[in-house]
Amino acid sequence: MTSHDERRAFWEERLGTDWTETGVGYRALGRPFNEWMYRVRRDVFLERMGSLGVDWSRASVLDVGSGTGFYVRAWQQLGAASITGSDLTEAAVARLRDRFPALRFERLDIADPGDALAGADFDAVSCMDVLFHITDDDRYTAAVESIARLVRPGGYFVLSENFLHRPTQRGANQVNRTIGWITACLDRAGFDVLHRAPFLVLMNAQVDAGPVWRKVWGGTLRAATLTEPTGWLAGAALYPLERRLVRARTESPTTEIMVCRRR
């Protein structure tokens, strides 16, 4: 298990040297493939949040773990009235403030945010591909409880996670937890799950698949993305298929998006 200081140092180094989709995404697959992958993520995020019937032009939102600002831009596309971003690292926050000079960004650890967002009351909070990087279960719980305090009653919490049906998988910088554990944590914090759907299907590590398929497909993706040109071609070929799969399937062997509502 990685300590808080080690986790922050890991992300400071990673985002300090690679502030791109690769830095926040699946580094082994290269930047061109990651850019196609993130197109799918953007499409799904916009569709899911747009389907809620919320007038985002009247809403204040918080993005936790903003990284390169990918979901900050998505909230702008949805027309959110007020957007606040945050990140664990100085490397990201300094660049985010330059990229989005009209918006507010805070350097904080969502598991222990201090008074950086004291008194805030958001209509929605997004936390995309962040929580599974919190390797300590108690800090994960603290992060969800902290988010719950920042969402007004009736407001929304959108997150992406791996929601395993298989046993929890623990690594140095990522823990893939079970769907039962995660939903119980959300329930205790005061969130009701509205829906869960695939965020990706084939364009990411198959963490909830059987060991043979996981190894075969992982090797196939790495081979297809050995060079930037082949990575771009692999992403371009998979993109239309992935868009159909995320719409047609109700479960995914990799990352899923979940929308919750604060009780």
Side-chain angles (χ1 to χ4, degrees), residues 162-169 176-180 196 207-209 250-253 256:
N162 290 316
F163 299 111
L164 297 191
H165 295 81
R166 296 172 177 272
T168 295
Q169 303 164 2
N176 301 316
R177 297 172 173 88
T178 67
I179 183 172
R196 174 175 57 89
V207 295
D208 205 20
T250 58
E251 295 274 351
S252 169
E256 296 175 319

Side-chain angles (χ1 to χ4, degrees), residues 11 14-15 18-27 34 38 68:
W11 286 107
R14 181 159 170 169
L15 294 180
D18 187 5
W19 198 57
T20 69
E21 286 84 353
T22 312
V24 296
Y26 194 164
R27 178 176 273 183
N34 271 277
Y38 269 86
T68 62

Side-chain angles (χ1 to χ4, degrees), residues 17-39 68 99 203 225-229 231-232 235:
T17 57
D18 187 5
W19 198 57
T20 69
E21 286 84 353
T22 312
V24 296
Y26 194 164
R27 178 176 273 183
L29 301 184
R31 184 173 179 180
F33 186 87
N34 271 277
E35 288 174 347
W36 280 106
M37 182 200 299
Y38 269 86
R39 286 183 63 178
T68 62
R99 177 171 283 182
M203 296 180 78
T225 57
L226 278 175
T227 69
E228 291 199 349
W232 189 93

Side-chain angles (χ1 to χ4, degrees), residues 146-214:
S146 176
I147 290 168
R149 289 191 291 271
L150 294 167
V151 180
R152 65 166 179 80
Y156 297 91
F157 175 34
V158 55
L159 66 150
S160 59
E161 257 285 8
N162 290 316
F163 299 111
L164 297 191
H165 295 81
R166 296 172 177 272
T168 295
Q169 303 164 2
R170 295 189 180 272
N173 294 297
Q174 181 168 324
V175 174
N176 301 316
R177 297 172 173 88
T178 67
I179 183 172
W181 191 94
I182 296 168
T183 54
C185 180
L186 291 164
D187 179 65
R188 289 193 301 271
F191 288 111
D192 293 324
V193 176
L194 297 184
H195 61 248
R196 174 175 57 89
F199 209 18
L200 297 162
V201 177
L202 292 175
M203 296 180 78
N204 203 6
Q206 306 288 283
V207 295
D208 205 20
V212 174
W213 171 249
R214 184 176 180 178

Side-chain angles (χ1 to χ4, degrees), residues 22-248:
T22 312
V24 296
Y26 194 164
R27 178 176 273 183
L29 301 184
R31 184 173 179 180
F33 186 87
N34 271 277
E35 288 174 347
W36 280 106
M37 182 200 299
Y38 269 86
R39 286 183 63 178
V40 179
R41 293 174 182 270
R42 178 199 61 209
D43 295 345
V44 175
F45 183 87
L46 294 176
E47 287 171 2
R48 289 292 167 178
M49 301 314 291
S51 70
L52 294 174
V54 175
D55 181 2
W56 295 112
S57 69
R58 301 168 62 89
S60 64
V61 303
L62 169 67
D63 182 53
V64 174
S66 296
T68 62
F70 184 84
Y71 295 99
V72 172
R73 288 201 186 280
W75 281 119
Q76 288 180 322
Q77 287 182 259
L78 288 166
S82 171
I83 304 170
T84 300
S86 70
D87 200 86
L88 180 66
T89 68
E90 293 286 358
V93 169
R95 289 179 169 94
L96 288 164
R97 287 171 176 163
D98 286 340
R99 177 171 283 182
F100 304 94
L103 303 184
R104 174 188 176 190
F105 291 93
E106 296 288 345
R107 210 293 298 166
L108 58 84
D109 180 352
I110 194 60
D112 185 16
D115 59 1
L117 297 171
D121 189 30
F122 295 100
D123 296 296
V125 174
S126 54
C127 189
M128 314 306 292
D129 290 359
V130 171
L131 292 173
F132 50 58
H133 290 299
I134 302 177
T135 55
D136 181 89
D137 290 346
D138 290 339
R139 291 191 71 84
Y140 186 111
T141 299
V144 172
E145 291 173 347
S146 176
I147 290 168
R149 289 191 291 271
L150 294 167
V151 180
R152 65 166 179 80
Y156 297 91
F157 175 34
V158 55
L159 66 150
S160 59
E161 257 285 8
N162 290 316
F163 299 111
L164 297 191
H165 295 81
R166 296 172 177 272
T168 295
Q169 303 164 2
R170 295 189 180 272
N173 294 297
Q174 181 168 324
V175 174
N176 301 316
R177 297 172 173 88
T178 67
I179 183 172
W181 191 94
I182 296 168
T183 54
C185 180
L186 291 164
D187 179 65
R188 289 193 301 271
F191 288 111
D192 293 324
V193 176
L194 297 184
H195 61 248
R196 174 175 57 89
F199 209 18
L200 297 162
V201 177
L202 292 175
M203 296 180 78
N204 203 6
Q206 306 288 283
V207 295
D208 205 20
V212 174
W213 171 249
R214 184 176 180 178
K215 184 174 182 179
V216 168
W217 185 246
T220 300
L221 282 183
R222 287 189 291 275
T225 57
L226 278 175
T227 69
E228 291 199 349
T230 59
W232 189 93
L233 289 170
L238 280 174
Y239 174 77
L241 173 60
E242 191 79 328
R243 292 293 291 120
R244 289 194 293 272
L245 289 172
V246 295
R247 286 191 176 117

